[in-house]
Amino acid sequence: MEQMANIADLSLFSEAEAVAFVQSRVPGVAAVEAGQLAGLLGFIPMALEHATAFLVQSGQDCASYIGLLRQHGFDELRIRYSAEDCAHELMAASVQLLTIDAIESQSARQLLYLLAYCATDSLPLSLLQRGQAALPQPLQGLFGGSSQSELKQVLNMLVGFALISVEGDDGGAGDGGTSDGRLGTVASGGNRELLLTMPVVTQLAVKHQAIEGEDTFWLSCCLSMADTVVSGLLGDELTASSDDSVSARVQESTETLIELVCFAPHLLAIARQAEAALDDDCSQLAISRLYLAVGRGYECSGDYNLALECFQKALLICENIQGEQSLAAAAANSLVADAYLRLGNCANALEYAEAALRVLEDALGSEHPQTVAAYLAAANVRDDLGDFDEALAYYGKALVVQERSLGDNHPDTAATYRSIALIQRHLGDCDQAVELFQKALAVSHERLGVGHPDTVADLNNIALSYRQLADHAKELEYFQKALAIYETADKGRLYTAITYQNIGLAYEGLGDNVAALPWHEKAHELFKVVLGPEHPLVEESLERCRYAKNTP
């Protein structure tokens, strides 16, 4: 109910506007009765919207409905809330209590309770379908049945009572449904996703109707449904219960990531409400898994601050229930570290990355895949912080295990060769850097192919290392190999222009400015096309042309 305080109060109808509104929504109602209803509801548009929807859907006459309102009395109907700034919404919620009482369909009532604990708008129907196994009957059958006619009937009923709205249907009328506002076909397969919206006032009214204990029951159902959905999407990836790496990003399919991003606001709403109301260990651990998945969703959408908040909540729950030395806590620590790293806070990232590593070393040993992944994560953070000796130490520990378990011809081993070589080149040990880049190149060329980005990156890295060694003939050789790939796969693009310029610089290093000039000119023209005439690289390449022309 605290959400109500954030909702702006609505303007009132005038008496004439209210009467006209009621008569436009309820055919045949007399002006006198319309005026009585409007006055009773304080000329509040939202309350009149729900009242007229009830009259149309139920077929009840206006006089009987007014009598029903007066019989119950608004002191009994109103949700107990003292904030004056949301009085209109409270009146609307009060009117909705009568509507909810009038719904006899058990499936419809169960769906209302389910929606009351999700985010208010754009709930994908597929979220409920994915989690149907955790739902009670008959709601489970509503989403799992082979026929969709009952689901369409239930949704149409709730739309008719103005308790929810639906968008995204292929019924053929604007943003969903037929010309009378009803659903056409329920989205599935090739059809567009149905999105369900329940206003905050309706959520409050539904929750207020719950008898003692029912509120907790439905919140538990929502949590079980959400946990089922998360398990179906991510499996054990975020629970540290498998042998797979918990700090490496999960290679989900594009479809999985899209679903996770769409589901995240609703899963978060469930997690927040459940965290406050369900204090048993089983529920709390399910909530921690939910926070991890939600954080993953927001991480995918680029909201790293909210992802960090979710990961930290999950970590706190894991530590409280399973202890700081648990594998679940290690998994959460790794995700927190990753979020801090994405936010550019390397110091905090290091703290959590090394906390995860300590647990994994003790619990699983130094050769376990999760521990190796933690070595690499800690090395990455140390590298970003400029702690190169510590970074090399972590990379070295990981490499020993990778070479033994994966072999020196595995792409993951090659990635570690590459990371170590970059640090060594930065530290000036270019001979050793070239050796490792060559080993990485051999793997990427054989296992990933000539045109793979890792292969081209290795060629460029070898060329740059030879530049630092002042071996410009070798530098030129490897830049030319990279160019052969770029001109085939990336013709007319930025990397081709950069490579033109690098070849020109290699010729300069050889003292052959005549040979350098055409490469700088080609780079200059391509930079103008790709980046526009005002980009700094365009002016820089022009200066290289002038230098090559004027220097013997």
Side-chain angles (χ1 to χ4, degrees):
M1 289 192 292
E2 61 270 20
Q3 300 172 34
M4 295 289 287
N6 297 322
I7 303 175
D9 213 14
L10 302 178
S11 300
L12 300 178
F13 280 142
S14 67
E15 183 174 358
E17 289 172 333
V19 170
F21 176 84
V22 173
Q23 290 186 308
S24 70
R25 294 298 182 95
V26 187
V29 67
V32 173
E33 290 180 341
Q36 288 176 338
L37 178 62
L40 191 61
L41 297 181
F43 305 107
I44 297 171
M46 188 183 297
L48 288 168
E49 167 73 24
H50 294 301
T52 54
F54 176 86
L55 290 172
V56 171
Q57 184 74 6
S58 66
Q60 189 172 47
D61 63 87
C62 190
S64 298
Y65 184 68
I66 291 171
L68 186 62
L69 290 175
R70 286 173 171 163
Q71 175 185 350
H72 283 79
F74 280 112
D75 286 340
E76 177 183 342
L77 287 172
R78 284 193 186 96
I79 296 174
R80 296 178 181 85
Y81 194 76
S82 60
E84 296 179 359
D85 61 341
C86 59
H88 295 185
E89 286 78 9
L90 290 173
M91 176 69 82
S94 299
V95 172
Q96 284 190 329
L97 295 178
L98 289 179
T99 302
I100 296 167
D101 277 341
I103 294 177
E104 297 180 355
S105 165
Q106 190 176 359
S107 295
R109 291 182 68 86
Q110 287 185 347
L111 181 56
L112 284 176
Y113 280 114
L114 206 66
L115 296 180
Y117 295 97
C118 299
T120 56
D121 58 357
S122 301
L123 172 70
L125 183 65
S126 58
L127 175 65
L128 307 181
Q129 292 169 328
R130 275 189 170 275
Q132 61 184 268
L135 300 177
Q137 292 289 4
L139 193 57
Q140 182 181 133
L142 185 67
F143 296 112
S146 57
S147 172
Q148 294 186 322
S149 58
E150 184 184 358
L151 174 59
K152 184 171 67 173
Q153 182 180 3
V154 167
L155 293 177
N156 278 331
M157 178 193 304
L158 298 180
V159 169
F161 275 121
L163 295 171
I164 68 170
S165 61
V166 181
E167 295 181 4
D169 172 58
D170 279 345
D175 56 1
T178 57
S179 57
D180 65 356
R182 301 303 179 119
L183 300 182
T185 57
V186 177
S188 65
N191 296 332
R192 290 181 294 148
E193 172 76 282
L194 280 182
L195 302 176
L196 313 182
T197 293
M198 173 181 279
V200 173
V201 291
T202 308
Q203 288 186 329
L204 293 173
V206 170
K207 291 177 183 179
H208 184 72
Q209 286 293 82
I211 61 176
E212 185 177 355
E214 194 174 27
D215 189 70
T216 301
F217 170 79
W218 280 106
L219 186 50
S220 296
C221 282
C222 285
L223 179 59
S224 296
M225 176 195 70
D227 199 30
T228 300
V229 170
V230 167
S231 296
L233 287 173
L234 301 177
D236 293 330
E237 296 288 355
L238 297 175
T239 63
S241 61
S242 72
D243 287 343
D244 297 326
S245 165
V246 294
S247 59
R249 294 278 58 83
V250 182
Q251 299 299 311
E252 299 98 348
S253 67
T254 300
E255 292 78 10
T256 295
L257 293 178
I258 290 173
E259 284 191 293
L260 195 57
V261 170
C262 292
F263 294 165
H266 304 283
L267 298 177
L268 180 58
I270 293 169
R272 285 174 169 168
Q273 294 173 88
E275 184 182 11
L278 306 175
D279 57 2
D280 62 286
D281 287 356
C282 184
S283 294
Q284 286 292 309
L285 289 176
I287 292 164
S288 73
R289 291 191 294 272
L290 209 53
Y291 275 129
L292 290 176
V294 170
R296 180 75 178 102
Y298 283 112
E299 188 178 55
C300 290
S301 65
D303 191 341
Y304 302 126
N305 283 302
L306 189 49
L308 175 61
E309 177 187 331
C310 292
F311 292 149
Q312 288 176 320
K313 283 180 173 290
L315 174 60
L316 182 61
I317 293 171
C318 290
E319 289 181 336
N320 286 341
I321 296 177
Q322 296 177 302
E324 295 182 1
Q325 303 304 309
S326 66
L327 292 177
N333 269 307
S334 295
L335 291 167
V336 171
D338 189 68
Y340 270 124
L341 193 60
R342 290 173 184 270
L343 288 168
N345 190 333
C346 294
N348 281 356
L350 179 63
E351 175 188 346
Y352 286 92
E354 293 191 333
L357 177 56
R358 287 191 295 272
V359 174
L360 293 170
E361 280 184 318
D362 289 342
L364 302 177
S366 62
E367 300 200 6
H368 193 278
Q370 288 182 261
T371 309
V372 173
Y375 283 139
L376 294 172
N380 187 31
V381 180
R382 287 286 188 180
D383 191 359
D384 285 350
L385 284 169
D387 297 338
F388 300 120
D389 289 339
E390 291 289 341
L392 287 173
Y394 282 132
Y395 280 131
K397 288 181 178 182
L399 183 59
V400 168
V401 180
Q402 287 177 319
E403 287 182 325
R404 183 162 52 245
S405 61
L406 302 176
D408 58 7
N409 195 35
H410 191 280
D412 287 352
T413 308
T416 306
Y417 289 147
R418 198 173 296 120
S419 296
I420 294 173
L422 286 168
I423 294 177
Q424 289 176 329
R425 189 176 70 198
H426 178 81
L427 295 174
D429 189 356
C430 293
D431 287 317
Q432 184 64 28
V434 167
E435 181 181 335
L436 287 173
F437 281 135
Q438 291 279 16
K439 294 178 74 171
L441 174 62
V443 177
S444 58
H445 187 279
E446 178 185 341
R447 298 290 297 272
L448 303 177
V450 174
H452 192 276
D454 285 354
T455 303
V456 187
D458 291 331
L459 290 169
N460 281 312
N461 278 317
I462 292 170
L464 291 170
S465 299
Y466 277 126
R467 177 182 292 176
Q468 284 187 234
L469 288 167
D471 188 342
H472 301 296
K474 285 289 188 180
E475 174 192 353
L476 178 61
E477 175 190 343
Y478 281 92
F479 276 135
Q480 287 174 329
K481 289 180 179 180
L483 179 62
I485 299 173
Y486 284 137
E487 287 189 320
T488 300
D490 195 43
K491 189 171 180 60
R493 302 294 299 277
L494 178 59
Y495 291 129
T496 304
I498 293 172
T499 308
Y500 286 157
Q501 181 168 280
N502 278 327
I503 291 174
L505 291 171
Y507 275 118
E508 284 184 27
L510 290 168
D512 191 348
N513 288 334
V514 174
L517 179 58
W519 292 101
H520 287 312
E521 289 175 335
K522 291 171 72 173
H524 177 65
E525 292 304 316
L526 194 48
F527 277 137
K528 284 195 297 185
V529 172
V530 176
L531 302 174
E534 304 302 321
H535 195 278
L537 280 178
V538 175
E539 179 62 30
E540 179 185 327
S541 63
L542 182 59
E543 286 299 318
R544 301 308 315 177
C545 293
R546 291 169 181 159
Y547 175 81
K549 283 180 181 179
N550 298 323
T551 304

